[in-house]
Amino acid sequence: MRFDEAYSGNIFIASQQNYAESKAVIYGMPMDFTVSFRPGSRFGPARIREVSLGLEEYSPYLDRHLEEVPFHDAGDIPLPFGNAARSLDMIADFVGKLLADDKFPLGLGGEHLVSWPIIQEVYKKYPDMALIHIDAHADLREQYEGEPLSHSTPIRKACHLIGAPNVYSLGIRSGMREEFQFAKESGMHMHKFEVVEPLKQILPTLAGRPVYITIDIDVLDPSAAPGTGTAEAGGITSKELLEAIHLIARSDLQVIGADIVEVAPAYDPTEQTQIAASKFVREILLGWVK
Ligand code: MN
Ligand code: MN
């Protein structure tokens, strides 16, 4: 784990060496040990950084430049391959330190289970938090083949921890019938298939609230983001996801952190998935870090 230490490896474009003066910290979680289908998201963080070099540092959407948002790329947390439980503990420790230092944690996955320890740490600091979850999948399973530590479970765990009525899932188009029943009966807010329109309804109700936002790249249609382990036909465009990011940027939400997960570069020889993800990272830095 690197904080002040000069890190000479692959870093996100325009990131600054100085941890102390940074408002946001990018960190990678190279973990894909619990995925139900195709592995490979452990290589997501590194490749998102590498292709970020092709990005402009200026956003014409937000009329803001990355030099206006001091952020530090801490590299990847050195997770022990194959040990999910210890990896989650290490992520919790790392994010806990960022939150104690009043940094905006911007995590790169990795599989979606990495969001679970982050949500736990964020909840300790912001007990009145809400969660916005943008994904093709409900991720509401109690367990997968008997295993509660699975990338199909983090939102179920979050509902138990922070209260289902504080959880907002958008873009969902895949899950077991039981997951959709849980969504209905638990009081959580699940919006199927679409992201932008439901977000317009939700944002005014969350004004002033601390909100953590987790984005699973597979919410995009596989034509826009084939580089993911569990691709689901029928998704949104990259333009729609950008619009969602900008709606949140212009809202009264207090965004307290975010992650982008499930980028698996090996399934996308065109690299569009990781190139899109790196643009979302830029827009999140410019739009959500106040
Ligand atoms: Mn997911
Ligand atoms: Mn998903």
Side-chain angles (χ1 to χ4, degrees), residues 135-137 139 216 218:
D135 197 332
H137 304 96
D139 290 352
D216 184 326
D218 67 29

Side-chain angles (χ1 to χ4, degrees), residues 76-93:
D76 288 351
I77 305 173
L79 302 179
F81 293 125
N83 190 334
R86 198 156 85 78
S87 295
L88 300 188
D89 287 345
M90 289 174 72
I91 293 167
D93 285 350

Side-chain angles (χ1 to χ4, degrees), residues 115-193:
S115 301
W116 169 230
I118 305 170
I119 292 165
Q120 290 173 281
E121 291 301 311
V122 171
Y123 180 66
K124 281 184 202 163
K125 183 168 175 179
Y126 301 97
D128 57 338
M129 71 174 279
L131 174 70
I132 293 180
H133 162 232
I134 302 177
D135 197 332
H137 304 96
D139 290 352
L140 287 170
R141 292 187 187 226
E142 280 285 11
Q143 39 81 16
Y144 190 89
E145 305 286 333
E147 178 52 67
L149 290 184
S150 159
H151 78 146
S152 57
T153 63
I155 305 306
R156 182 70 165 255
K157 296 181 197 306
C159 285
H160 291 319
L161 179 70
I162 75 171
N166 298 310
V167 177
Y168 298 76
S169 288
L170 304 173
I172 310 303
R173 59 185 185 277
S174 179
M176 296 189 306
R177 173 177 284 161
E178 185 271 338
E179 295 178 81
F180 289 96
Q181 268 166 2
F182 173 83
K184 256 189 206 154
E185 291 160 9
S186 65
M188 73 168 287
H189 308 266
M190 181 194 280
H191 298 268
K192 290 188 275 192
F193 314 124

Side-chain angles (χ1 to χ4, degrees), residues 10-12 43-54 271 278:
N10 173 27
I11 53 170
F12 200 84
F43 300 108
R47 200 64 196 136
I48 291 169
R49 293 186 179 97
E50 281 163 6
V51 300
S52 74
L53 298 180
E271 303 239 61
S278 71

